[in-house]
Amino acid sequence: ISCYGLSDGELFLSVNGGTAPYSFVWSNGAISQNLLNLPANTYTVFITDQNNCTTSSTYILTQPPQLLANAGSDFIVCGQSFALLSATSPPIGIGYWQVISSDSVIVFSDSTSANCTISNLGVGDNTLLWTVTDGLCSDDDPITVTSATQIDAIGGIDRKVCGDDVNLNATRPEFGYGYWTALSPGLLIADSLKAFTGVTGLSYGNNSFLWTVVNGTCRDSVVVNIFRRDTLDCLPRIEMPTAFSPNFDGSNDYLIIKGLEEYPDNEIMVYNRWGQVVYRQNNYRNDWYGLDEGGYPLADGTYFIIIRARYIDKVYNTYIDLRR
C-alpha cells in the first residue's frame, strides 16, 4: 500500500498485489479508498481482497499552524528616501520582502527581516510585498510606502519691537495650509490661519509663536520670537549737530537736536572757547538761532554745547560751528 497527498486534509491510496477488487475500512468508519477534508489525526486503513486476504496501514495526517502575513499599514515619509518596515515575524517558517512597484531601485538592509530599513525610495508610491512560508504553505501581504515632498515652515525672522502689537509675516505654503499658535500667554492673533496676520497683547520681553505647515500627513513647524523692548529703549536717540547758520535764509537757521522733542524735560548750555556760558535754556525746543543770553547775535566761531535729558538721566555734548 502506498499513500500520497498527506496534506490539505486528503489521503489517497494505491494498492499493489492481492486480488482485486478490494474493500476498505478506515478507523474513522469510512469505506472509500480515498479520504477528503480530513482533520489532523492518525488514520488506519484495513484492506481486504476478494480472497479475504487482509492488510492494514497507519498514516499520520498533520496540520501545521495557519500562516498569516502582516506587512503593517501603509504610511508616508516626508522628504526622505528611506523608511523602516515593520512587518510581523512569522511564528514558524521564514519571511521575505520583495518590490512590487516603484520608479526606483529600492535597497533592503535585510530582505529576510520583518523589521528592516529600505533606502532609495522613489518619489510617490512604492509597493512592497511581505511573504511568509513554511515550505508547504505561504501567505503574503502588500504595503505601500509613499515618499512625499519635504515641507519647510518659514515663519519669518525674530524681531525686536516697540509697543504691544506686531504683524507676523510667514511664507504661505504652496501646498496644504499653515496656522499660527501663540506659545506665550496673553497674545491675541487676529487670524491664525493667515501667514500674514496681526497680533496684539505683546508682553515686555520675549513673545513666542509657532508657525506650522501641514500637507496631508506631512508637517513642519518653526518658532518665531518677538521681543518687546522696554519703553526707555524705544525712545529715539538724540543726535547732536555739528554746525548751523542762523542767517535766516530758510536753511539750517536753528540749532536742531534730533530726538530731543521726546525729552521735553531737558537743559541746554552753550559755552564759548573761553569756557563762558553764552546761552542757557531749560525745556529747549529746537528754537535757538545764535543769540546770547542778552539777545545779541553771537560771533561766528566754534562753541561747546551740553544737553542734559533728565528723563533718561543722560548728558550729551559736542562742538558746533556757528557760521552766518
Side-chain angles (χ1 to χ4, degrees), residues 22-252:
Y22 307 100
S23 63
F24 300 87
V25 178
W26 291 87
S27 57
N28 66 346
I31 58 173
S32 60
Q33 179 175 346
N34 302 315
L35 301 182
L36 304 176
N37 301 318
L38 295 174
N41 208 336
T42 300
Y43 297 89
T44 301
V45 62
F46 300 91
I47 304 175
T48 304
D49 66 6
Q50 65 180 1
N51 297 318
N52 290 321
C53 295
T54 301
T55 188
S56 65
S57 183
T58 299
Y59 306 98
I60 300 175
L61 185 64
T62 61
Q63 183 178 0
Q66 181 182 5
L67 296 180
L68 183 62
N70 183 5
S73 301
D74 297 345
F75 63 94
I76 298 175
V77 295
C78 304
Q80 61 189 42
S81 61
F82 61 91
L84 176 64
L85 299 177
S86 298
T88 300
S89 298
I92 60 172
I94 61 171
Y96 60 90
W97 291 100
Q98 57 185 318
V99 179
I100 300 301
S101 64
S102 176
D103 64 358
S104 182
V105 179
I106 294 178
V107 178
F108 294 89
S109 62
D110 183 356
S111 62
T112 62
S113 173
N115 302 304
C116 73
T117 300
I118 53 175
S119 57
N120 200 39
L121 283 171
V123 176
D125 291 342
N126 301 265
T127 303
L128 313 170
L129 190 67
W130 173 244
T131 301
V132 295
T133 179
D134 60 3
L136 294 174
C137 303
S138 66
D139 190 37
D140 50 46
D141 185 36
I143 185 175
T144 298
V145 180
T146 302
S147 179
T149 305
Q150 175 68 38
I151 291 180
D152 292 316
I154 303 174
I157 62 174
D158 297 343
R159 285 174 286 161
K160 294 182 178 181
V161 300
C162 297
D164 68 346
D165 62 334
V166 72
N167 287 323
L168 299 175
N169 190 10
T171 298
R172 185 170 59 86
E174 183 178 358
F175 303 102
Y177 64 94
Y179 62 91
W180 286 104
T181 304
L183 302 180
S184 301
L187 299 171
L188 180 61
I189 302 174
D191 190 340
S192 61
L193 295 178
K194 288 186 178 179
F196 182 85
T197 188
V199 173
T200 56
L202 294 176
S203 301
Y204 288 106
N206 193 58
N207 299 265
S208 297
F209 302 85
L210 186 70
W211 174 244
T212 302
V213 174
V214 180
N215 185 19
T217 60
C218 298
R219 63 174 53 219
D220 189 37
S221 299
V222 64
V223 174
V224 177
N225 294 303
I226 306 296
F227 188 90
R228 182 181 177 184
R229 303 173 64 183
D230 186 82
T231 302
L232 292 180
D233 295 334
C234 290
L235 291 173
R237 297 179 57 186
I238 292 178
E239 299 180 22
M240 301 292 287
T242 57
F244 78 120
S245 57
N247 56 9
F248 295 100
D249 64 353
S251 175
N252 203 22

